[in-house]
Amino acid sequence: MKNIIPNSKPGKAELIPITSMQKYLVKEGYLIPGIVTVVFVVLMFVSVGMPNLYEWLIASYIAGAAFYFVYRLCDKPKPWWVLFCSGFATCVILASPILLLFIIVFRGILPGNVSDNLEQLTFPVLFIKMFFGAGLMEELLKALPVFGCMWLGQRLRSPRREQVGIWGPLDGILIGTASGVGFTMFETLGQYVPGMVENVTELLGEGLLGLGVGYLAGLQLLIPRILGSIAGHMAYSGYFGYFIGLSVIYPHDRWKILGVGYLSSSLLHALWNSTGDSLIILATVGAVSYAFFVSAILKAKEISKLPIKLR
C-alpha cells in the first residue's frame, strides 16, 4: 500500500476516484453488472401494469445473473454473441418440428411418456419414465447447440474458430449452460407460467381478482424455476458440456466420454423430476447436482492449465 505522507493534500485521484479506477471497473467485472441492473430496474418501473413484460424482465434478469455467476466461475472468455446464439438456438429447436421428433422417439417409442397420471406411479416406474422422457430427451436436445459449435469451430477460420468452437471442457460448459438458460426461459415463460395463470384464472374467474391472483401465482412459480436452474437445467447441460469438451481433447475415447456425460446428466435430471413429493430429498438432489456441476467447472479449469500434450 502506498504510504500517506503526513500533512499532504489529497489529489484528483483521491477526490474523484473514478478518474483513476476506470480501467478496473470493466476489468474486474464491477461496471457492467451494475449498469445492467440499473437498466432492468428502470424497465421494471416502466412495465408496472404489464404483467407479461414484467415476468419476462424478471426471468431475463435472474437467468442472466445466474449465468454470469457461472461465467465468472469458469473464468474463460467467450464472446457474448456466441453464448446468446446457443440459448437462442435452443429456443428455436423447442419451437420447431425437431421437438416433435424427439417426443416421438423418447416418449412414444421409448418408455418416456410423462403425460400419464404421474401421482399414481411408483417411484421406480416414475424414475424410468423421467429418465427417458425428460433426462435423455432434454439433455440431448440442449446439447445440440454444443455439438453445433463443435462442428462449426472445426470448419471456421481464425479467429472465429476459437471464438465459436469447443476446444476444451470450459468451452463445453459455457455453451451448454447458455443452452440450459434458453431452455429454462422457453419452458418457464412459454409453458409453466402461462399454465399456472390459466389454471388460477379458471378457478377464480376472469375478473380482476382471478387475473391478479393468477399473475401473482405465475410470478411465484417463475422466480424459483429460473433461479433454481443453476442447480437444474443449467447444471445438467453444463455438466454434459464438460464431457463434450473433454471428448475433444481425448478423441480416442470420445464415445465413452460422451456416454458417461450423457447418462450422468440425464440421471441427475431424472432424479430431480422424480423426487418432487419430498422437499428434503428434492433439496438434496438439487445440492448434489450443483456440486457435480461446480466440480466439473473446477476440473475443467485445472485441465485448461495443462500443456496440450499432457491432456
Side-chain angles (χ1 to χ4, degrees), residues 1-19:
M1 177 182 290
K2 181 180 178 181
N3 293 327
I4 304 299
I5 301 175
N7 301 322
S8 64
K9 295 182 179 181
K12 180 180 178 181
E14 286 77 23
L15 294 175
I16 311 177
I18 195 172
T19 59

Side-chain angles (χ1 to χ4, degrees), residues 24-300:
Y24 296 105
L25 287 175
V26 177
K27 183 178 179 181
E28 299 297 330
Y30 300 136
L31 183 63
I32 295 178
I35 292 177
V36 170
T37 299
V38 171
V39 171
F40 269 92
V41 168
V42 172
L43 292 175
M44 287 175 193
F45 278 125
V46 173
S47 66
V48 171
M50 295 180 282
N52 291 329
L53 177 58
Y54 191 84
E55 290 171 349
W56 189 89
L57 289 170
I58 288 286
S60 299
Y61 180 78
I62 296 175
F67 181 79
Y68 184 72
F69 171 76
V70 174
Y71 184 83
R72 295 289 293 179
L73 191 60
C74 288
D75 195 23
K76 162 79 175 183
K78 204 73 175 175
W80 69 267
W81 56 268
V82 175
L83 302 173
F84 177 82
C85 286
S86 175
F88 183 75
T90 300
C91 293
V92 171
I93 291 170
L94 290 171
S96 74
I98 296 176
L99 176 61
L100 180 59
L101 177 62
F102 271 66
I103 291 175
I104 291 173
V105 173
F106 289 95
R107 298 182 181 179
I109 300 174
L110 296 174
N113 186 359
V114 294
S115 61
D116 296 334
N117 197 354
L118 303 179
E119 295 81 7
Q120 299 178 357
L121 300 178
T122 62
F123 176 77
V125 175
L126 178 61
F127 179 79
I128 291 174
K129 285 181 174 292
M130 288 299 177
F131 177 68
F132 285 96
L136 291 178
M137 187 188 90
E138 294 178 4
E139 294 316 311
L140 181 58
L141 189 150
K142 289 185 292 179
L144 293 180
V146 188
F147 287 118
C149 286
M150 183 171 67
W151 182 82
L152 279 174
Q154 295 172 351
R155 286 157 178 78
L156 295 173
R157 296 180 179 180
S158 294
R160 287 287 184 261
R161 62 183 282 112
E162 291 80 14
Q163 293 174 331
V164 175
I166 305 294
W167 306 107
L170 283 176
D171 291 316
I173 290 172
L174 287 171
I175 300 295
T177 304
S179 176
V181 171
F183 189 98
T184 303
M185 292 282 289
F186 188 95
E187 185 181 53
T188 301
L189 294 173
Q191 178 183 352
Y192 284 98
V193 171
M196 175 64 74
V197 174
E198 182 179 352
N199 291 337
V200 174
T201 303
E202 288 180 357
L203 181 64
L204 299 179
E206 296 185 0
L208 291 177
L209 176 62
L211 287 173
V213 175
Y215 282 119
L216 176 60
L219 186 61
Q220 289 177 326
L221 177 64
L222 179 149
I223 293 174
R225 277 196 59 83
I226 300 294
L227 188 59
S229 65
I230 198 169
H233 282 300
M234 289 172 60
Y236 312 140
S237 54
Y239 189 68
F240 189 19
Y242 163 85
F243 288 93
I244 296 174
L246 193 67
S247 71
V248 173
I249 58 179
Y250 294 110
H252 296 297
D253 295 313
R254 173 165 296 170
W255 293 111
K256 179 178 74 173
I257 293 170
L258 291 176
V260 171
Y262 184 35
L263 290 176
S264 55
S265 61
S266 299
L267 284 170
L268 289 171
H269 191 159
L271 195 58
W272 170 268
N273 284 22
S274 305
T275 54
D277 292 338
S278 172
L279 296 181
I280 296 177
I281 297 178
L282 193 66
T284 302
V285 172
V288 169
S289 299
Y290 178 74
F292 269 68
F293 181 39
V294 174
S295 297
I297 293 176
L298 296 177
K299 176 54 69 173

